[in-house]
Amino acid sequence: MDIQHTDPTEHPTSRRRFLALAAAAGTTAALGGLNAFTASAAPLRPTQSPMLSAADAAKNQLWWQAPGSSTSMIGQGLPVGNGRLGALASNDPGTEFLTVTDAGLWTGGLNDTLQDDGQFPYGRDDFGSLTLLAELTVAVPGHDLGRANNYRRVLDLAQGLVSASYDIGGVTYQRQIFASRPDDAIVLHFSQQGGGTYTGTVSLAGTHGESTAAGDAARCVSFGGTLGNGLKYGAAVTAYSGSGKVAVDGTTLSFTGCKDLTVVLSGGTDYAPDAAAGFRNPSVDPRALAISKVLAAAGHSYDTLLHTHVADFRPVFGQLDINLGTSSAAQRGLDTWERVQARYRDNVPDPELEAAYLQFGRYLMISGSRGTLPMGLQSVWLDGNDPDWMGDYHTDINIQMNYWMADRAGLSDCFDSFADYCLAQLPSWTDVTQRLFNSLTNRYRNSSGKIAGWTVAISTNPYGGGGWWWHPAGNAWLCHNLFDHYEYTQDRAYLEKVYPLIKGAVEFWEARLITTTVTDASGASREVLIADSDWSPEQGPLDAKGITYAQEQVWNLFGHFHTATEVLGRDAAYRATIDGLRDRLYLPVVSPTTGWLEEWMSPDNLGETTHRHLSPLFGLFPGDRIRPDDSTPKDILDGATALLTARGMNSFGWANAWRALCWARLKDGDKAYQLIGTNLQPSVNGSNGSAMNLFDIYQTEPGRGIFQIDANFGTPSAIVEMLVYSRPGHVELLPALPAAWAASGSVSGVGVRGGFTADFTWKNGKVVQATLTSVRGGTTTLVAGAATRKVSLKPGESVTLRNLA
Amino acid sequence: MPSSSSSPLPPTSAGPARRAARTLLVLAVTAGLAAAVPAAGSAASAPTTPQPSATTGVAAKPYMGWSSWSMQSSKYPGLNPDGDYSYLTEANVLKQTDALAAKLKDYGYTYVNIDAGWWRKNDWTPEYDQYGRQAADPLRFPHGMKAVADHIHAKGLKAGIYLPVGLEKEAYGGGSVPIWNAPGCTTADIVYPDLRTTNGWDSSYKLDFDNPCAQKYIDSQAQLLAGWGYDFLKLDGVGPGSFKSGDNYDNVPDVAAWQRAIAATGRPMHLELSWSLDIGHAADWKQYSNGWRIDTDVECYCNTLVTWENSVNDRWNDAPAWSDKAGPGGWNDLDSLDVGNGQMDGLSNAERQSYMTLWAINKSPLFTGDDLTSLDSYGLSLLTNQEVIGVDQSDSPVARPVTSVGDQQVWGTRNSDGSYTVALFNLSGAPASVTADWADFGFTGNAAVRDLWNKQNLGSYRNGITEALPAHGSRLFTVKPRTALATTGYEAESAANTLSGNASVAGCDACSGGQKVGNLYLGGKLTFNGVQAPKDGIYTVQISYVSGDPRSATVSSNGGNGTGVNFPSTGDWNTVHAISVQLALKAGPNTITVDSGNWYAPDIDKIAVPQTL
């Protein structure tokens, strides 16, 4: 064994270096943290260019040879976002069109009047919906696409830039669009080479019936409004140029003969993540704030705004690098959409595209999850005010899947939006649960009559409200994500922060569990604890006791509680109580009828064989109770494998991603890879797969596809899970490497439970070299092929292992 | 072994008449009967020997001009103030004539064509002379039809007029109307005793050419038109076609009679047939006429002249079948070219350009139905683009699709100077990139590209060109290749291949090797084995096929998912054409499979695979 210790300050991809780079770039914004729409100190500007060389940037770029349609923004718009404010851009030469969303622009409210059936209303007025903030149009009438040659647009994942270029009449025109976190604005820049100019208009339109008017300073136009729920919002846009004329012209901005043009948009709401304040910040006047932000930004050159943004974005993106192998010259010659189509058509692996798909997911997370609110079903990318399922937070797989990727893929800080959201909602969730859950009309009420802690509905909003049906085990699943983040980061202060969520969920289940008597296969009977009436998401009997989904969740929750109390040195007596309950929990058995791990406490298949949800396989993934090693009884492992097999290989988006993650846990890399490929198949006319812009599309009926962002994060999670499996004290490299990636590859910055990151390379399916870096110091055992190495590191220390074959 | 021409065919949907408004022609019929005139004498002189049009100079190239019907048919505000189709008046025709002469004549637009209704009152009541021939409505044409033709001629233009096929019912006059210059012939002699009806609206009695009086009636109409000085006749409602089939609607004898009658006048007169002519009779149309509408009316009968969906975009599907039918003397008529005023046309700029691009590469007649007095600048630039007009008027063959006819299409043809005309189309409602690979046309390497619409040399492009097209957009290029692409052919009938389902080898005179593989339907599959590629990569594989109707198949390599390919009709079951697909091949032997899936695939002649990448 060849172990080489590295001084922590020298390690190239550590979080420490990221911090250093961000500091050098001069950004003052805290990593993660709150990013509500509030006045902020002027960003410090980088003193040197943070821009990548063209060759380096090209390594993480997607590109297309046609713009998007203003009527097909979901599948064709390119996303930008600053963690709160998001936009889709069409990039049409003659009409640059952006749909702009603020993560907090929600209708609805607490929604605490249950329906007659004891469940929650689920409408756009009561529960609410995420909606658009604005539509921005930059019209350049002389630049009709029909006249443009050599059109190309690029999504630069590493630098957070959308760009487009085209030629008209011997002039090359270029534009760049980004969403800046430091300047809290969306910036568009139009430039040219060859003596061209831009003449046209900038129009800003609200989507809730507002009137746009010239702004106070007569240098911008803006609008403001108040939703029916009292939420105030506003947006403003300004434009400036070093040449030509820019003027406010009624309700639009006109520009004439400009060799370059910069357009700055900002906007937001008075949403505040504070239940006590009714989720409002009364000190914010969103319209005025938007005006002040765009005017402040417009005081700087475009290059300054660009460099400030890239200095903020690039270090975050750079925390993970991945190479799954080399694609062919023919594949490299195709644009991203052609490549997606060719990959499906020819069934030939395209490892660079597959790696780019992962990086696209990371790009989305950096763009969508650095504010006070987490990413819902579509994050901050909408094309209208009626997103399917309200664009909400679904707690029975979707929001959890969104955040599986964060720690795995070097975006640990992006997890904060999720944790902060849960914390901000906790008072309301607790209040609503304790007031309403035991309503006699609620079929899922606790038959014991006891109530404690909190839980959620299947859907949640940002106002403490639930929608659709009660989801008793939703609390445990949210807590699984919350605790998982601790397992990766070993951040005790963070655990302290989220402990009330975990404890509240435990208390809920302590009150809810009921006893029953079961007879084991041996004929012995015993008393066990089971969950009260519940629905295994989203199929089968509506009222089933002891569903596997709930049993696994609670077993997992109680285990995490045990660890948390030990780490934090709290609630020792209560820990003992809960440990006792956990010992009595019923755990699922294998059906003698189907051979599957039971989903319900029944040998019969009471649902759809190929149902999208893998709820009874929670213990396989994302839980870790069922492992393909000696720790798990063979019949349970076989039953889980048989159930996963029965669920099939041909579902859609997130359901395929979940299957891939499960197969990765079972160390079947080729099956996992097949499912990744299924999600990469081109979505045509709304069919399941990837749209032109790589957004994942779920076909609900022929011709109608819906964007659900979860697969854009779940599929990358599966890619990582195929490369690294970890639990505290144990990390295994290449557990499920598919043949398609076996030839050679590398990854750096992968999160490892127990507080490590891993960088490693492989060749011919074998790890060549691996470096583990510890953030907080600790010990783990690294497994690579037949090799096992125990590693102990001090905080910030790295170790490089070779000769692992 | 049965050939595919006898393969079971999918049921064709007997499309209901799209043009409901057309039936107004019938509904409006009232008993407007000319006074009966006693028959005088008996018929008839011997039929005149027809001369091939090509030798008369008529329709040596696709004609160009203006037609009244688009504006007549439209509900566009103000166009038809006195009821449907009332736009057609002497004043309007003269106004358009003057505008045509002033704006478009220099670009080759010469025909001013009066469409339906010149012999009908505004309430559509027809008027006839004493010989049962259509007579100008005095309200519409107060100076008669000759005066109009004279005005048109005075502007250096040619005059066109219109008639429905058959003897209009209202002209029958109880059978006693005499036929002009045909002693002894009356209308009773020229139709069948049972008064069977014909044409697309059943608005006429079918003519019985077994009786020489029928030819005399056509002669009398032709003499009338020639006497007025007309240079062009649109004969409408002609079958088989015009949504009709069966014996009663077989107007081939009518068309032949018209050709004889026109020849007998001594006046060169272009004979154009309408509408949706049966391709099965293409040889007849080519023999007897100078052009034939391949499709239904382009007009929408709505608040604009046309719309994209109704029915401009049908032509992309329908034109390929006819590609081999056109040539000097007779052309595939795609109908009016209404691109001159975006607002009145009801089309986006991109749609207007695509519309004219398709017409030009199909060598369709270029006659606009626009209000020529209010062309917008973009419309004028389209209609007067001499490079695009040049494509239409050139001696190149009609272009065909060279790739699958989906939302994005590539069409082209080889020009006599060795260059290629290449058109890119995006028929989807969103922008899309479209790529023409030079291999689709059989060449490779660098080629110089000229953009005809933008009148700009784009420079040299290697192996192909990709452009972003707007929704319903197009590009039109001339491409000058330098290097031919060497390919290796693989015959479908080769014993090395694997046939499954009902697939079978059949004779095929037009095919290389004299054989093809047919019966590729409902799971029938043809796999080419041992297809060699020099190295791993994505290749342009050309598939030569025979298909009398549009068909589809999934084409894949080495067991991949493949690509759905829509094969345009080759026109009949004896003609071979080719389209190309992109497929990944590995160095060494590969398989390429044509799978009919759950529908009907074309018959396959061979594939050709590039020897280099």
Side-chain angles (χ1 to χ4, degrees):
Chain A
M1 180 162 75
D2 173 6
I3 296 184
Q4 178 189 340
H5 281 267
T6 307
D7 184 273
T9 57
E10 289 175 9
H11 186 261
T13 56
S14 68
R15 176 186 169 91
R16 179 177 299 270
R17 176 174 176 273
F18 162 40
L19 289 166
L21 205 161
T27 56
T28 55
L31 297 167
L34 301 188
N35 184 28
F37 189 53
T38 54
S40 49
L44 289 180
R45 306 295 177 180
T47 53
Q48 59 192 44
S49 171
M51 303 304 291
L52 289 169
S53 70
D56 283 341
K59 291 174 188 165
N60 285 295
Q61 288 180 340
L62 307 176
W63 65 288
W64 296 263
Q65 295 178 91
S69 165
S70 63
T71 57
S72 304
M73 294 297 281
I74 284 295
Q76 300 179 357
L78 295 187
V80 296
N82 74 354
R84 172 185 65 85
L85 198 57
L88 292 167
S90 75
N91 305 136
D92 191 286
T95 313
E96 182 62 71
F97 179 70
L98 275 70
T99 54
V100 184
T101 307
D102 177 291
L105 193 55
W106 267 80
T107 59
L110 186 60
N111 198 35
D112 60 346
T113 303
L114 298 182
Q115 299 174 153
D116 292 348
D117 61 359
Q119 309 302 320
F120 292 92
Y122 191 45
R124 293 184 196 276
D125 293 327
D126 38 40
F127 171 75
S129 173
L130 183 61
T131 64
L132 279 181
L133 172 64
E135 292 176 347
L136 179 74
T137 303
V138 181
V140 190
H143 290 199
D144 191 285
L145 180 61
R147 297 179 59 213
N149 295 111
N150 298 323
Y151 179 91
R152 179 185 173 102
R153 63 174 170 157
V154 176
L155 182 56
D156 183 327
L157 302 172
Q159 301 185 98
L161 296 173
V162 166
S163 64
S165 67
Y166 53 92
D167 300 336
I168 293 179
V171 178
T172 297
Y173 295 90
Q174 293 165 314
R175 66 183 63 168
Q176 283 184 311
I177 302 172
F178 59 84
S180 170
R181 190 163 176 274
D183 281 291
D184 203 9
I186 293 171
V187 180
L188 300 82
H189 182 65
F190 299 81
S191 62
Q192 49 75 39
Q193 290 160 330
T197 60
Y198 293 90
T199 296
T201 54
V202 179
S203 308
L204 177 69
T207 67
H208 297 88
E210 310 83 354
S211 295
T212 301
D216 298 342
R219 286 164 53 205
C220 64
V221 294
S222 64
F223 67 79
T226 306
L227 294 180
N229 63 7
L231 186 80
K232 291 181 188 161
Y233 60 92
V237 65
T238 189
Y240 57 101
S241 172
S243 65
K245 184 184 168 197
V246 181
V248 174
D249 185 2
T251 61
T252 63
L253 298 165
S254 68
F255 50 92
T256 310
C258 296
K259 291 178 185 168
D260 65 277
L261 180 75
T262 304
V263 177
V264 181
L265 176 150
S266 188
T269 73
D270 68 349
Y271 176 81
D274 183 352
F279 294 104
R280 300 289 184 275
N281 180 351
S283 69
V284 168
D285 174 347
R287 181 179 189 169
L289 186 57
I291 291 170
S292 74
K293 290 204 179 204
V294 299
L295 295 180
H300 298 276
S301 72
Y302 171 70
D303 279 353
T304 298
L305 298 179
L306 172 67
H307 290 177
T308 305
H309 162 67
V310 174
D312 171 66
F313 192 97
R314 199 190 119 198
V316 186
F317 183 86
Q319 291 175 128
L320 180 132
D321 194 20
I322 189 164
N323 176 351
L324 298 174
T326 304
S327 297
S328 70
Q331 289 168 327
R332 289 176 167 181
L334 302 175
D335 72 33
T336 297
W337 183 232
E338 290 171 334
R339 224 162 149 164
V340 168
Q341 293 173 305
R343 189 191 178 287
Y344 174 74
R345 178 191 67 209
D346 298 325
N347 224 8
V348 173
D350 187 345
E352 290 170 1
L353 177 69
E354 293 146 14
Y357 185 92
L358 178 148
Q359 292 291 26
F360 176 66
R362 296 184 67 244
Y363 170 89
L364 292 177
M365 183 168 275
I366 299 166
S367 303
S369 190
R370 294 200 291 164
T372 58
L373 287 170
M375 304 178 297
L377 292 173
Q378 296 187 197
S379 186
V380 285
W381 295 292
L382 306 185
D383 64 348
N385 288 336
D386 54 353
D388 291 282
W389 300 290
M390 321 300 176
D392 69 18
Y393 306 114
H394 260 49
T395 61
D396 64 349
I397 175 62
N398 313 88
I399 192 170
Q400 289 90 350
M401 178 174 283
N402 281 0
Y403 284 92
W404 290 340
M405 193 189 82
D407 286 294
R408 281 181 176 77
L411 297 178
S412 199
D413 295 313
C414 290
F415 187 86
D416 291 348
S417 297
F418 174 83
D420 292 342
Y421 166 75
C422 293
L423 279 168
Q425 303 299 305
L426 182 58
S428 305
W429 287 347
T430 303
D431 164 54
V432 170
T433 298
Q434 299 197 2
R435 274 194 292 124
L436 300 179
F437 185 77
N438 271 356
S439 298
L440 291 178
T441 50
N442 175 21
R443 67 201 311 161
Y444 303 119
R445 71 186 180 278
N446 293 338
S447 54
S448 68
K450 295 184 283 185
I451 189 72
W454 64 279
T455 192
V456 290
I458 292 177
S459 287
T460 62
N461 69 18
Y463 302 127
W468 197 13
W469 291 4
W470 286 101
H471 180 202
N475 56 6
W477 202 347
L478 292 172
C479 286
H480 176 76
N481 279 65
L482 292 167
F483 191 80
D484 207 26
H485 183 62
Y486 168 74
E487 286 202 332
Y488 277 102
T489 62
Q490 299 291 304
D491 182 343
R492 193 177 178 283
Y494 160 81
L495 186 61
E496 190 91 48
K497 188 171 75 165
V498 299
Y499 182 73
L501 281 156
I502 296 171
K503 186 176 177 186
V506 167
E507 289 167 339
F508 175 87
W509 281 100
E510 182 195 15
R512 179 167 172 78
L513 291 172
I514 57 175
T515 57
T516 193
T517 301
V518 294
T519 304
D520 291 339
S522 63
S525 68
R526 59 192 170 102
E527 189 183 79
V528 293
L529 290 173
I530 60 169
D532 220 327
S533 287
D534 202 349
W535 186 36
S536 189
E538 300 170 4
Q539 67 154 351
L542 298 181
D543 306 281
K545 293 182 173 60
I547 59 173
T548 296
Y549 172 70
Q551 299 303 121
E552 292 276 17
Q553 296 273 9
V554 174
W555 187 87
N556 193 58
L557 173 71
F558 286 180
H560 292 333
F561 180 72
H562 178 99
T563 306
T565 53
E566 285 193 327
V567 169
L568 299 175
R570 292 169 63 166
D571 292 325
Y574 191 47
R575 171 170 72 235
T577 302
I578 298 305
D579 286 349
L581 297 181
R582 191 182 192 224
D583 289 344
R584 295 166 59 204
L585 271 180
Y586 174 79
L587 288 171
V589 299
V590 174
S591 160
T593 308
T594 61
W596 308 340
L597 195 68
E598 289 180 359
E599 180 160 4
W600 301 272
M601 289 182 72
S602 164
D604 298 327
N605 175 14
L606 304 178
E608 298 171 37
T609 300
T610 58
H611 195 262
R612 55 193 178 273
H613 284 263
L614 300 182
S615 309
L617 289 170
F618 179 91
L620 178 59
F621 191 95
D624 193 25
R625 190 182 70 87
I626 300 172
R627 296 175 187 158
D629 61 27
D630 295 342
S631 69
T632 301
K634 185 171 183 308
D635 73 311
I636 295 294
L637 186 62
D638 289 349
T641 305
L643 177 60
L644 181 60
T645 303
R647 280 291 209 259
M649 297 289 286
N650 191 24
S651 195
F652 64 90
W654 60 258
N656 286 330
W658 197 354
R659 284 157 172 74
L661 283 152
C662 285
W663 284 116
R665 280 286 170 88
L666 292 174
K667 303 194 179 191
D668 191 328
D670 287 334
K671 277 207 170 68
Y673 179 79
Q674 183 186 333
L675 287 153
I676 289 165
T678 303
N679 278 357
L680 254 174
Q681 77 181 44
S683 173
V684 178
N685 294 328
S687 66
N688 293 333
S690 294
M692 177 187 289
N693 60 4
L694 298 190
F695 276 177
D696 191 81
I697 302 297
Y698 163 40
Q699 177 178 285
T700 53
E701 57 188 279
R704 175 160 159 71
I706 292 169
F707 168 42
Q708 275 190 244
I709 205 168
D710 27 43
N712 285 107
F713 303 123
T715 313
S717 293
I719 293 173
V720 177
E721 194 71 24
M722 292 156 74
L723 304 179
V724 181
Y725 162 77
S726 69
R727 61 178 183 266
H730 179 95
V731 52
E732 181 171 355
L733 306 184
L734 303 183
L737 186 70
W741 301 337
S744 69
S746 65
V747 65
S748 65
V750 173
V752 172
R753 289 184 183 83
F756 300 88
T757 59
D759 311 343
F760 58 99
T761 59
W762 67 89
K763 195 156 191 166
N764 299 324
K766 309 277 190 201
V767 174
V768 175
Q769 173 176 312
T771 299
L772 277 185
T773 302
S774 172
V775 178
R776 295 170 198 282
T779 298
T780 194
T781 298
L782 182 143
V783 177
T788 298
R789 303 282 186 275
K790 189 162 182 178
V791 173
S792 293
L793 295 172
K794 297 177 194 137
E797 193 179 26
S798 294
V799 62
T800 296
L801 309 167
R802 299 195 183 87
N803 304 325
L804 288 161
Chain B
M1 193 145 308
S3 79
S4 273
S5 51
S6 58
S7 295
L9 293 170
T12 49
S13 62
R18 173 194 300 279
R19 294 281 75 82
R22 270 295 207 190
T23 60
L24 286 174
L25 285 166
V26 181
L27 296 175
V29 162
T30 56
L33 218 48
V37 174
S42 64
S45 57
T48 312
T49 305
Q51 284 192 303
S53 303
T55 61
T56 66
V58 170
K61 295 180 185 305
Y63 85 85
M64 300 169 65
W66 176 85
S67 161
S68 66
W69 187 251
S70 293
M71 281 197 283
Q72 284 182 259
S73 69
S74 176
K75 311 284 191 211
Y76 188 83
L79 281 185
N80 291 283
D82 299 318
D84 289 346
Y85 320 119
S86 64
Y87 181 84
L88 183 63
T89 64
E90 177 186 288
N92 283 335
V93 171
L94 298 189
K95 191 169 72 175
Q96 296 298 333
T97 299
D98 295 350
L100 187 74
K103 297 177 183 177
L104 297 179
K105 179 187 160 191
D106 288 349
Y107 299 88
Y109 296 85
T110 52
Y111 284 86
V112 177
N113 292 342
I114 294 165
D115 209 275
W118 58 269
W119 71 101
R120 289 178 183 264
K121 298 180 194 300
N122 281 337
D123 68 0
W124 217 240
T125 306
E127 295 143 280
Y128 302 93
D129 68 11
Q130 68 270 38
Y131 302 109
R133 299 179 295 187
Q134 285 79 355
D137 172 52
L139 190 66
R140 293 180 192 260
F141 292 96
H143 302 95
M145 303 316 292
K146 181 171 188 305
V148 182
D150 288 346
H151 181 98
I152 293 168
H153 290 147
K155 290 285 181 182
L157 301 172
K158 292 182 175 174
I161 200 161
Y162 169 102
L163 285 174
V165 71
L167 175 69
E168 283 194 288
K169 290 174 180 174
E170 303 93 327
Y172 181 61
S176 59
V177 179
I179 307 302
W180 178 81
N181 195 31
C185 295
T186 70
T187 47
D189 299 317
I190 69 175
V191 298
Y192 290 87
D194 60 2
L195 294 180
R196 66 191 66 172
T197 58
T198 193
N199 83 24
W201 318 275
D202 281 306
S203 69
S204 290
Y205 297 130
K206 182 171 171 60
L207 296 174
D208 177 6
F209 288 97
D210 286 346
N211 186 326
C213 293
Q215 178 70 49
K216 295 300 281 184
Y217 177 67
I218 302 298
D219 290 343
S220 76
Q221 288 180 301
Q223 292 289 344
L224 187 68
L225 303 183
W228 291 341
Y230 281 86
D231 308 296
F232 175 104
L233 172 66
K234 171 178 167 184
L235 190 65
D236 206 358
V238 175
S242 302
F243 303 157
K244 300 284 190 182
S245 58
D247 289 347
N248 287 6
Y249 304 95
D250 180 356
N251 299 123
V252 173
D254 301 71
V255 178
W258 267 104
Q259 190 193 48
R260 286 189 294 270
I262 289 169
T265 67
R267 182 174 184 85
M269 203 184 299
H270 180 122
L271 178 59
E272 192 80 2
L273 309 180
S274 183
W275 78 92
S276 295
L277 276 300
D278 179 0
I279 195 170
H281 284 270
D284 293 326
W285 314 138
K286 195 164 175 61
Q287 181 178 357
Y288 298 122
S289 78
N290 307 112
W292 40 87
R293 285 266 307 281
I294 66 161
D295 219 327
T296 184
D297 287 7
V298 76
E299 290 88 2
C300 63
Y301 297 81
C302 66
N303 287 335
T304 54
L305 300 186
V306 296
T307 64
W308 180 253
E309 300 284 346
N310 191 7
S311 63
V312 175
N313 68 351
D314 288 349
R315 273 67 180 168
W316 274 264
N317 291 330
D318 297 335
W322 293 85
S323 64
D324 293 335
K325 314 301 184 191
W331 303 97
N332 300 327
D333 184 347
L334 274 57
D335 206 359
S336 295
L337 178 62
D338 297 339
V339 300
N341 179 313
Q343 189 189 1
M344 192 184 292
D345 296 333
L347 298 174
S348 70
N349 285 359
E351 290 166 345
R352 293 156 77 190
Q353 177 180 303
S354 298
Y355 190 166
M356 185 157 170
T357 302
L358 187 75
W359 265 236
I361 65 173
N362 275 282
K363 310 182 77 68
S364 170
L366 300 180
F367 58 99
T368 164
D370 288 304
D371 180 354
L372 303 180
T373 67
S374 67
L375 298 175
D376 60 31
S377 62
Y378 183 74
L380 190 65
S381 76
L382 293 177
L383 290 169
T384 61
N385 185 310
Q386 287 174 307
E387 296 185 41
V388 178
I389 292 171
V391 168
D392 182 79
Q393 300 285 303
S394 75
D395 56 3
S396 308
V398 170
R400 286 188 60 83
V402 298
T403 57
S404 174
V405 285
D407 275 353
Q408 286 78 44
Q409 301 188 4
V410 181
W411 294 52
T413 191
R414 187 174 193 276
N415 302 318
S416 55
D417 65 356
S419 69
Y420 285 78
T421 296
V422 175
L424 312 182
F425 295 107
N426 172 28
L427 302 184
S428 82
S433 61
V434 186
T435 298
D437 291 294
W438 297 158
D440 297 340
F441 299 92
F443 57 92
T444 187
N446 286 312
V449 177
R450 180 165 178 80
D451 179 337
L452 303 190
W453 280 117
N454 292 313
K455 300 177 186 171
Q456 186 182 9
N457 290 323
L458 299 182
S460 183
Y461 282 74
R462 180 170 174 75
N463 293 340
I465 186 168
T466 299
E467 292 286 8
L469 270 54
H472 305 160
S474 57
R475 290 300 171 93
L476 183 58
F477 301 128
T478 301
V479 180
K480 291 188 174 162
R482 293 184 203 158
T483 312
L485 177 70
T487 62
T488 301
Y490 297 86
E491 292 295 338
E493 64 270 23
S494 164
N497 296 340
T498 305
L499 278 55
S500 54
N502 290 321
S504 58
V505 175
C508 169
D509 291 344
C511 296
S512 60
Q515 287 185 307
K516 63 183 179 180
V517 168
N519 285 320
L520 289 164
Y521 64 93
L522 303 180
K525 203 157 65 171
L526 162 65
T527 296
F528 292 86
N529 297 313
V531 176
Q532 291 292 326
K535 58 179 180 177
D536 290 7
I538 296 174
Y539 289 78
T540 299
V541 176
Q542 194 176 56
I543 305 171
S544 295
Y545 67 101
V546 179
S547 192
D549 48 28
R551 293 197 171 194
S552 59
T554 297
V555 181
S556 60
S557 57
N558 299 324
N561 293 303
T563 183
V565 178
N566 297 318
F567 294 83
S569 170
T570 58
D572 54 47
W573 289 98
N574 300 303
T575 301
V576 178
H577 281 293
I579 63 171
S580 296
V581 298
Q582 302 282 309
L583 290 173
L585 300 177
K586 303 170 299 187
N590 297 268
T591 63
I592 292 178
T593 299
V594 179
D595 186 346
S596 61
N598 57 8
W599 206 234
Y600 290 73
D603 295 353
I604 305 299
D605 173 15
K606 65 172 182 179
I607 59 173
V609 180
Q611 292 172 359
T612 55
L613 184 64

